Amino acid sequence: MIVRLRGKVWESFPNRLILDVGGVGYEVLVPVSSVDQLNPVVGKELELRTYFHVRENTQVLYGFATEEERDVFLLLIERVTGIGPVIAMAVLSGMPVGRFKACVAGGESAELSKIKGLGKKTAERIVLELKDKVGVAETWAEVASGAMAPTTADAELALVALGYKQVDARKAVRKMLDETPGASTEELVRGALRSMS
């Protein structure tokens, strides 16, 4: 699986980049939120977190400026019934990740339903299933209240996005924090994965 790319921008479009990585051009679909952060002008070197989506008749590479954006994308496509990559990209393009998390944590489906391509029922399903299935909203609420550090929450949710149960992810991340206080999100995820394997 392709999880990260670093290369120069060959071509740039509003929601799509062609990235030159060692002479090979990768077409990567990116949400508006990532385009705003990256400012992908031709010739600029960029690093993207990616997700390679394979189906019977399509193969699409999605790119993100941050781990946080990719984690939200994965949560949406893997944990919410009826949400595919197109709708997940619309969500990321429709509002900043922080605001999306606040809407889920606060149960504000009406604001989510204003995103282009997202109806009222789909917005309600996102809030309901992210709250009920994995307790994501609770984690985001803890970050907002200051009860949990953003790096800890991001590591926990990255593990959830990879398919681990939230309770197991939380235990593994806390164990890593006890062993390595001040570890980065990536260090926490790597250490937690080692301890759970």
Side-chain angles (χ1 to χ4, degrees):
M1 180 193 282
I2 303 166
V3 295
R4 191 172 290 210
L5 285 176
R6 180 186 293 139
K8 288 188 177 176
V9 178
W10 222 338
E11 294 180 47
S12 177
F13 304 95
N15 64 345
R16 183 170 56 96
L17 301 175
I18 308 293
L19 209 60
D20 176 6
V21 181
V24 178
Y26 289 88
E27 181 181 56
V28 187
L29 300 185
V30 290
V32 172
S33 54
S34 289
V35 173
D36 290 345
Q37 292 176 65
L38 296 169
N39 185 27
V41 293
V42 174
K44 180 179 180 181
E45 185 162 310
L46 297 179
E47 183 171 317
L48 295 173
R49 283 76 175 156
T50 60
Y51 171 75
F52 188 46
H53 188 74
V54 180
R55 285 292 174 262
E56 297 148 9
N57 56 353
T58 59
Q59 294 183 24
V60 182
L61 191 60
Y62 294 93
F64 309 93
T66 64
E67 297 283 347
E68 185 181 32
E69 286 179 326
R70 182 173 61 187
D71 291 343
V72 167
F73 176 85
L74 290 173
L75 283 169
L76 285 166
I77 68 170
E78 294 175 359
R79 300 285 183 235
V80 183
T81 308
I83 298 283
V86 173
I87 294 177
M89 291 295 275
V91 169
L92 288 170
S93 293
M95 68 172 47
V97 171
R99 185 65 207 136
F100 171 77
K101 290 179 175 181
C103 286
V104 172
E108 299 171 32
S109 59
E111 186 170 343
L112 288 177
S113 69
K114 293 176 186 172
I115 294 172
K116 186 178 178 183
L118 209 67
K120 182 182 175 191
K121 288 187 178 180
T122 305
E124 288 170 352
R125 191 166 61 245
I126 288 171
V127 169
L128 179 69
E129 293 192 18
L130 286 183
K131 273 188 169 187
D132 291 350
K133 282 191 176 175
V134 291
V136 170
E138 180 186 326
T139 300
W140 289 339
E142 286 180 38
V143 172
S145 69
M148 181 185 287
T151 53
T152 305
D154 288 346
E156 183 180 310
L157 295 175
L159 293 167
V160 169
L162 290 171
Y164 291 94
K165 291 182 181 173
Q166 187 158 8
V167 65
D168 296 334
R170 184 165 286 197
K171 281 181 192 171
V173 169
R174 293 235 164 106
K175 181 181 175 199
M176 273 304 299
L177 277 174
D178 291 343
E179 294 171 8
T180 319
S184 70
T185 299
E186 287 185 357
E187 290 167 338
L188 290 173
V189 171
R190 277 196 302 268
L193 285 170
R194 277 195 305 271
S195 72
M196 290 192 292
S197 63

